[in-house]
Amino acid sequence: MITFNGMSVANDGEDVYIQLSVDNGSAFATMISARGYGQINSGSTHDFSVGTDASGGVDHAYHPIGNDLEATAGTGGASGIAWIHDVQGTAEYKWITSLSCTQNANGNSYYYYNASRFASTSAINYIRILNGNGNNIDGGVVNVYGYK
């Protein structure tokens, strides 16, 4: 389980992702994913996204946990929780589910439900959290919990 609080980015509109690897970070998993979201400060926007666009779908090397973030300090960044299922297992495919809240670059607040599947039975041995635009994550706290 991973919790993240106030994860912020350098520039408006950047996204934050989780990537998984089974070879110590040499390559990252291709996943399929789907996303449900809604606008918190207005009841008018709710959607569920699947397919091959930026919101979810095939051939992604990441699981989204923060979308279109606001870069202004004090807006909360991305906060939430992610569960990576069967991390060390070698008999089943891997799944990630996450719940998060963000202040988007447009000034509105959103909640996100994300789900991704990694079609591998190999044990995961490397987890990376990164800014999908290649810039730094410039704030926030990430905690990783597990058991052996």
Side-chain angles (χ1 to χ4, degrees), residues 2-8 78 80 137 139-143:
I2 299 170
T3 63
F4 46 98
N5 297 292
M7 215 170 3
S8 61
I137 295 172
V141 175
V142 176
N143 295 296

Side-chain angles (χ1 to χ4, degrees), residues 8-144:
S8 61
V9 294
N11 302 298
D12 283 351
E14 295 179 335
D15 301 325
V16 177
Y17 305 132
I18 294 175
Q19 289 186 310
L20 305 177
S21 176
V22 298
D23 60 6
N24 298 309
S26 293
F28 291 94
T30 298
M31 301 181 214
I32 59 170
S33 59
R35 175 182 81 167
Y37 67 94
Q39 189 174 334
I40 295 172
N41 56 322
S42 170
S44 62
T45 302
H46 299 280
D47 196 8
F48 184 77
S49 301
V50 295
T52 57
D53 60 14
S55 301
V58 298
D59 297 332
H60 287 181
Y62 57 80
H63 173 86
I65 57 173
N67 300 86
D68 190 29
L69 295 179
E70 168 68 48
T72 304
T75 61
S79 295
I81 188 166
W83 296 270
I84 304 172
H85 306 279
D86 199 26
V87 171
Q88 291 299 300
T90 57
E92 300 291 335
Y93 284 175
K94 310 303 182 236
W95 297 87
I96 302 177
T97 53
S98 65
L99 307 171
S100 61
C101 297
T102 66
Q103 173 96 5
N104 282 33
N106 64 11
N108 292 318
S109 300
Y110 290 87
Y111 65 86
Y112 293 96
Y113 297 100
N114 294 294
S116 298
R117 184 197 74 185
F118 170 28
S120 174
T121 58
S122 297
I124 295 166
N125 61 16
Y126 192 97
I127 299 169
R128 177 165 72 174
I129 298 173
L130 74 154
N131 181 325
N133 297 79
N135 298 315
N136 291 329
I137 295 172
D138 61 4
V141 175
V142 176
N143 295 296
V144 180

